[in-house]
Amino acid sequence: MAQRVETLVNWVVLTMGDRPTAVEQAIESLRGDAAEVTVVVNGIADGRPAASTTHVDHVIELPANVGVPAGRDRGVAATASDVVAFLDDDAVAPPGATERIVEEFSADDRLGAVSLRLVDEDGDTSRRHVPRPGGRDADRSGEVALFLGGACAIRREAYDDVGGYFTDLFYGHEELELSWRLVERGWKIRYLADVKVFHPKTTIERHAHGWELTGRNRVWIARRTLPWPVAMIHVAAWLVLGMLRAPKGESRKRYLAGWRSGWKADVGRDPIRWRTVWHLARLGRPPII
């Protein structure tokens, strides 16, 4: 059994300041754990209250909404802990979550990230919140190929090793792209099914440009991070899957528009190796889906 070592955890709660009651509940759920809490207010609208500083160690107020990955990156930069954990501003962590995170990272020095399980009002886990194809085995812990940003923890060494988030994504698939690069660098990702974090049911439509950014980012991350044969299969598959999953009408049009726009910008290129593609497939998530 690996010897347990001291690991300091800092929780980062990213918010736009428009859910003050939910933010307070998220912060309250972390109070009992021996960890610091940093709140990043991602854009402050006129008349909108900033994050409450009650029971918060640090508050970072950004004058404009820089997007989810850039906002989380600002949270990482503002902390000095060995592990940075993230909790959505409308989520509630269970007692002992920090302790479980510490145990996992202390037991394996190649563990780069852990993904906690999200459960909704009915106690169910949405298919898109399970890091396995088709939403299978939501109640089974183990090594996986990706993690989810709403309730997770990342080892700082691993985060720095891969260069952090691809912040240009703004919203959508930022953890998927980061996961591919973590696996490329030999870091492990683990899903903790027994650490259940409450998160209300949500849809992509709650974000004004959600479907458009989802379509665009699928193309961006493939072009940037995957070998070309895999990238072309990935974007083709997600053209079909995205159009099938997006509600008919405006959402479907926005997804298609985003997918098309994904071919225009220069996003750089640093593809993972073929052996990483094979390893992702062995973990149950080949990067073509």
Side-chain angles (χ1 to χ4, degrees), residues 61-123:
E61 297 181 348
L62 305 179
N65 183 357
V66 297
V68 174
R72 287 178 177 154
D73 185 71
R74 290 292 295 271
V76 173
T79 67
S81 56
D82 297 336
V83 174
V84 181
F86 295 98
L87 185 70
D88 273 358
D89 66 347
D90 54 352
V92 176
T98 300
E99 182 178 1
R100 285 285 284 109
I101 289 170
V102 169
E103 290 175 353
E104 293 296 325
F105 281 102
S106 298
D108 187 350
D109 60 8
R110 292 308 299 172
L111 183 63
V114 298
S115 185
L116 311 183
R117 181 180 177 182
L118 299 181
V119 295
D120 60 26
E121 300 89 335
D122 299 322

Side-chain angles (χ1 to χ4, degrees), residues 59-258:
V59 176
I60 303 169
E61 297 181 348
L62 305 179
N65 183 357
V66 297
V68 174
R72 287 178 177 154
D73 185 71
R74 290 292 295 271
V76 173
T79 67
S81 56
D82 297 336
V83 174
V84 181
F86 295 98
L87 185 70
D88 273 358
D89 66 347
D90 54 352
V92 176
T98 300
E99 182 178 1
R100 285 285 284 109
I101 289 170
V102 169
E103 290 175 353
E104 293 296 325
F105 281 102
S106 298
D108 187 350
D109 60 8
R110 292 308 299 172
L111 183 63
V114 298
S115 185
L116 311 183
R117 181 180 177 182
L118 299 181
V119 295
D120 60 26
E121 300 89 335
D122 299 322
D124 298 325
T125 300
S126 170
R127 182 178 69 174
R128 67 191 183 96
H129 290 155
V130 181
R132 295 187 178 97
R136 297 194 302 269
D137 300 324
D139 58 351
R140 179 170 62 87
S141 298
E143 187 176 355
V144 291
L146 65 95
F147 69 97
L148 307 174
C152 67
I154 308 175
R155 188 187 298 272
R156 180 180 300 276
E157 181 185 356
Y159 187 84
D160 292 341
D161 184 36
V162 301
Y165 279 111
F166 176 27
T167 57
D168 289 353
L169 293 172
F170 195 84
Y171 164 79
H173 307 312
E174 58 271 8
E175 277 80 33
L176 177 58
E177 200 270 346
L178 182 56
S179 295
W180 289 343
R181 289 188 285 116
L182 285 170
V183 175
E184 165 74 5
R185 295 289 294 174
W187 295 100
K188 299 176 186 177
I189 302 169
R190 186 167 177 80
Y191 172 60
L192 305 182
D194 58 311
V195 185
K196 299 179 181 179
V197 174
F198 169 75
H199 191 288
K201 294 179 182 179
T202 59
T203 61
I204 295 176
E205 292 88 53
R206 71 171 178 164
H207 300 280
H209 301 286
W211 280 109
E212 184 176 353
L213 292 176
T214 297
R216 183 199 69 179
N217 291 352
R218 277 290 177 184
V219 179
W220 273 14
I221 65 174
R223 289 176 54 207
R224 174 183 166 91
T225 316
L226 298 177
W228 276 122
V230 182
M232 298 307 294
I233 297 174
H234 184 96
V235 296
W238 279 103
L239 173 60
V240 176
L241 291 172
M243 293 296 286
L244 289 174
R245 293 182 180 181
K248 293 181 180 179
E250 189 62 27
S251 294
R252 194 167 288 182
K253 291 178 181 178
R254 284 181 174 269
Y255 184 88
L256 181 58

Side-chain angles (χ1 to χ4, degrees), residues 43-55:
I44 305 173
D46 293 339
R48 178 181 296 172
S52 169
T53 57
T54 305
H55 310 304

